[in-house]
Amino acid sequence: MSECTHDCSTCSSNCSSRDKKSFLEAPHELSKIKKVIGVVSGKGGVGKSMVTSMLAVAMNRRGHKTAVLDADITGPSIPKMFGIREKAGATEDALLPVRSKTGIELMSVNLLLENESDPVVWRGPVIAGTVKQFWTDVIWNDVDFMFVDMPPGTGDVPLTVFQSLPIDGIVVVTSPQELVSVIVAKAVKMAGLMDIPILGIVENMSYVKCPDCGKKLYPFGQSNTASVALEFGLPLLAALPMDPDASKCADTGTIELYTSMEIEPAADRVEALL
């Protein structure tokens, strides 16, 4: 074991004396961001980007200035959901986010690529560095709530976001399957290691509502997310249905037209941070 040099920037050890705030990066000097919310999952395919978009739209409708930082570099979907095809602007020393139809500020790697279908074939450190630049090099204008759409898992990008951005809380997105406890456990333990507060759990694809009688049908079986949330002492903020209207709005870039009463309790929890 080498002797401590007290220079945490070059050290990988997780000692008790390390000040986690020492890793935080300052945003662009012209940016103003009040609250930063991470949207995470332990695995892919649970609708994390959908939940991110729905929360951003809900907070925007409540009169808050809202932004989305798309940290899912290799699988960005935020621009498509908002119907954004234009490229991000730039000044001599900064990038400028694109505004959606209702004024939500967005930054994603797809807004920088020549063709949105071009694959991002980069190694982890380069991807993590790009996410950091979305924070340090973009001018975010008087944002009340910034939602960070994170890639699944606990790799380079989530670690970079947790260390570099002043995250005020995370929302864990999951689905109603038996491995939900593993998904939640991974996210909870990583957040605990990084001293990041967890706002609660959102269960996506919880049920399908019969269009004829309104009865709730459970294609994945009865959910156990509520009991898992209780096990970890976390609130279940929302149980979102599998809604064809939501899928259509996401596919056509009109997510800002979609209304979901089920997401409102999660929006309440986020709003309480102000």
Side-chain angles (χ1 to χ4, degrees), residues 139-163:
I139 299 176
W140 301 96
N141 299 285
D142 294 328
V143 172
D144 293 318
F145 292 100
M146 171 182 285
F147 294 93
V148 182
D149 183 20
M150 301 241 252
T154 56
D156 283 342
V157 173
L159 181 61
T160 295
V161 171
F162 285 164
Q163 286 187 328

Side-chain angles (χ1 to χ4, degrees), residues 11-222:
C11 178
S12 61
S13 298
N14 189 26
C15 60
S16 58
S17 61
R18 179 189 290 264
D19 180 7
K20 293 181 175 60
K21 291 185 178 180
S22 65
F23 291 103
L24 292 180
E25 296 282 348
H28 192 279
E29 60 182 2
L30 297 180
S31 292
K32 185 177 180 183
I33 307 156
K34 293 181 181 177
K35 299 295 179 182
V36 181
I37 312 300
V39 183
V40 308
S41 67
K43 66 180 292 294
V46 298
K48 174 179 44 57
S49 296
M50 174 67 79
V51 172
T52 301
S53 300
M54 291 170 65
L55 283 172
V57 170
M59 300 309 294
N60 190 53
R61 286 176 179 164
R62 296 184 180 198
H64 301 293
K65 293 184 178 179
T66 309
V68 178
L69 190 161
D70 189 356
D72 196 348
I73 301 298
T74 58
S77 55
I78 293 297
K80 180 175 176 59
M81 288 187 173
F82 284 88
I84 301 298
R85 303 297 295 271
E86 64 185 284
K87 302 305 177 185
T91 65
E92 289 185 358
D93 64 347
L95 291 170
L96 303 176
V98 174
R99 287 182 179 272
S100 72
K101 296 177 182 66
T102 62
I104 297 174
E105 293 189 350
L106 309 172
M107 179 52 70
S108 170
V109 73
N110 264 13
L111 305 179
L112 302 174
L113 298 175
E114 183 175 352
N115 299 302
E116 63 178 21
S117 60
D118 289 345
V120 176
V121 189
W122 300 342
R123 294 193 181 276
V126 177
I127 294 174
T130 301
V131 172
K132 190 183 296 186
Q133 284 184 292
F134 284 173
W135 172 258
T136 60
D137 295 2
V138 175
I139 299 176
W140 301 96
N141 299 285
D142 294 328
V143 172
D144 293 318
F145 292 100
M146 171 182 285
F147 294 93
V148 182
D149 183 20
M150 301 241 252
T154 56
D156 283 342
V157 173
L159 181 61
T160 295
V161 171
F162 285 164
Q163 286 187 328
S164 303
L165 276 61
I167 303 293
D168 295 286
I170 64 170
V171 173
V172 180
V173 182
T174 186
S175 58
Q177 295 158 309
E178 282 299 320
L179 53 79
V180 62
S181 58
V182 177
I183 297 172
V184 174
K186 287 180 179 293
V188 168
K189 289 180 180 179
M190 184 174 187
L193 288 173
M194 306 304 297
D195 292 333
I196 304 294
I198 302 174
L199 303 182
I201 301 172
V202 170
E203 182 184 81
N204 195 29
M205 301 180 286
S206 296
Y207 58 89
V208 177
K209 186 175 291 186
C210 176
D212 296 324
C213 66
K215 181 180 178 180
K216 292 182 178 180
L217 307 174
Y218 299 91
F220 296 110
Q222 197 70 37

